Amino acid sequence: MTDKQRIALIIQYDGTHFHGWQRQPNQRTVQEDIETAISKVLKQERVPLHAAGRTDSGVHAAAQVAHFDAPAHIPAYRWATILNGRLPADVLIRASAPVPSDWHARFDAQWRRYRYSLYTDARPNLFIRQFTWHYYHQRLDESLMLAALKPLLGYHHLSAFQRAGSSRPHAWVDVQDVECWRSEAFIHIEVQASGFLYGMMRLLVGLLVQVGAKERSLENFQDIWVNERREIVKSAAPPQGLCLLRVGYPNFPFTPDIWFDTFPKFILGKTEPQSPLT
């Protein structure tokens, strides 16, 4: 029997043209694209790829983590280059490394962190359209949005932010960190948690912008999730503003420069009008 090794991957993808991470019939998914590339290299049937978490249709990832098992004759570090030569332009393996045979991308993960980005200038911008929610209809108060987020810190039952159809046995989530800040025309929201419910970030942001627009009070926002009033949470933020930033592990074979902060923070500089050239 051929010796096997377990390979961990750091994966980036632009989710615009994907129907999410998880393999689905008659739909393009990130998992299937990468599994197909691995299978072609090994000249065998499907090689299962296990990820730290599943992203929805249209959602991006800056440092998704996944693993698979492969024959040991190919050095682990070479898999990134090998796969990148066989993958489409909207998927990239940033690095690959060997991990112990019992290491698991999903079950060994201690936390996941997502960022949601809103673009609030009334003028559209082609170059950020795929990665932000263009929300300019109302002025948003980012300080109110942060105040709404802070009580979520801790271990809470967050079924108010869970879409129907989840296979998760419970809705308890350990929220470890929250941030919300403005940078010129952009508002960024980050949440780090032990795990995320199905659709959690998009439902959370959808309700959070109502707080920022002063359509919903801080007290009402907290009442909704504390008392699990899921029927009130009707509007999910669009998927393109959401990115899986990174995943944390107690023993990780990759250095921070590879995985920790690889998704750009958008900056649009202010310019003064200039006289036309003569």
Side-chain angles (χ1 to χ4, degrees), residues 152 156-164 166 168 170-173 197-200 203 224-231 233:
L152 286 165
H156 303 290
H157 199 263
L158 298 180
S159 60
F161 301 126
Q162 184 175 39
R163 284 173 55 188
S166 173
R168 210 169 188 261
H170 62 80
W172 290 97
V173 177
L197 307 174
Y198 180 38
M200 174 177 154
L203 288 170
I224 288 170
W225 65 262
V226 168
N227 292 301
E228 303 176 31
R229 301 173 66 187
R230 175 65 183 86
E231 73 282 358
V233 188

Side-chain angles (χ1 to χ4, degrees), residues 11-269:
I11 306 166
Q12 297 181 324
Y13 48 89
D14 174 350
T16 304
H17 301 296
F18 285 105
H19 202 75
W21 165 269
Q22 187 179 15
R23 179 185 283 263
Q24 300 176 53
N26 305 314
Q27 300 286 355
R28 185 187 178 212
T29 66
V30 182
Q31 181 183 23
E32 183 171 7
D33 273 18
I34 301 175
E35 285 182 345
T36 298
I38 296 170
S39 296
K40 287 180 178 178
V41 173
L42 297 177
K43 296 181 172 59
Q44 64 183 67
E45 295 299 317
R46 178 188 173 192
V47 177
L49 183 65
H50 305 274
R54 302 168 182 174
T55 52
D56 293 342
S57 178
V59 175
H60 317 293
Q64 170 73 281
V65 181
H67 79 265
F68 67 99
D69 295 326
H73 67 275
I74 300 177
Y77 73 91
R78 289 194 58 207
W79 273 102
T81 301
I82 290 170
L83 292 177
N84 284 334
R86 293 163 173 80
L87 288 169
D90 48 3
V91 189
L92 177 78
I93 310 301
R94 188 160 166 85
S96 56
V99 287
S101 60
D102 61 349
W103 188 91
H104 200 285
R106 177 184 174 190
F107 299 121
D108 283 5
Q110 293 183 326
W111 51 264
R112 290 92 173 153
R113 190 177 186 96
Y114 280 88
R115 179 190 298 156
Y116 197 97
S117 299
L118 299 103
Y119 175 56
T120 64
D121 195 302
R123 295 163 295 187
N125 189 318
L126 174 67
F127 297 103
I128 58 174
R129 189 164 62 186
Q130 287 186 192
F131 302 101
T132 59
W133 178 9
H134 189 197
Y135 191 99
Y136 59 94
H137 323 284
Q138 298 160 290
R139 168 75 184 180
L140 295 177
D141 185 333
E142 67 276 10
S143 63
L144 285 175
M145 295 165 72
L146 179 60
L149 281 171
K150 284 185 175 179
L152 286 165
L153 289 167
Y155 193 59
H156 303 290
H157 199 263
L158 298 180
S159 60
F161 301 126
Q162 184 175 39
R163 284 173 55 188
S166 173
S167 59
R168 210 169 188 261
H170 62 80
W172 290 97
V173 177
D174 179 19
V175 178
Q176 302 166 353
D177 189 35
V178 295
E179 291 186 43
C180 180
W181 76 96
R182 179 182 289 275
S183 177
E184 299 296 344
F186 299 96
I187 294 178
H188 301 291
I189 301 157
E190 291 190 13
V191 179
Q192 180 174 307
S194 56
F196 285 77
L197 307 174
Y198 180 38
M200 174 177 154
M201 273 296 291
R202 290 175 58 196
L203 288 170
L204 173 60
V205 173
L207 197 66
L208 200 61
V209 295
Q210 296 176 19
V211 175
K214 301 181 181 179
E215 295 177 345
R216 191 177 297 281
S217 69
L218 293 173
E219 294 76 17
N220 181 253
F221 179 88
Q222 185 165 352
D223 173 69
I224 288 170
W225 65 262
V226 168
N227 292 301
E228 303 176 31
R229 301 173 66 187
R230 175 65 183 86
E231 73 282 358
I232 295 177
V233 188
K234 297 179 179 180
S235 299
Q240 72 272 10
L242 185 58
C243 181
L244 173 59
L245 281 186
R246 50 187 174 263
V247 187
Y249 297 87
N251 297 299
F252 207 28
F254 302 100
T255 55
D257 60 297
I258 293 173
W259 64 275
F260 189 81
D261 196 11
T262 63
F263 188 61
K265 296 180 178 72
F266 301 109
I267 299 172
L268 291 176

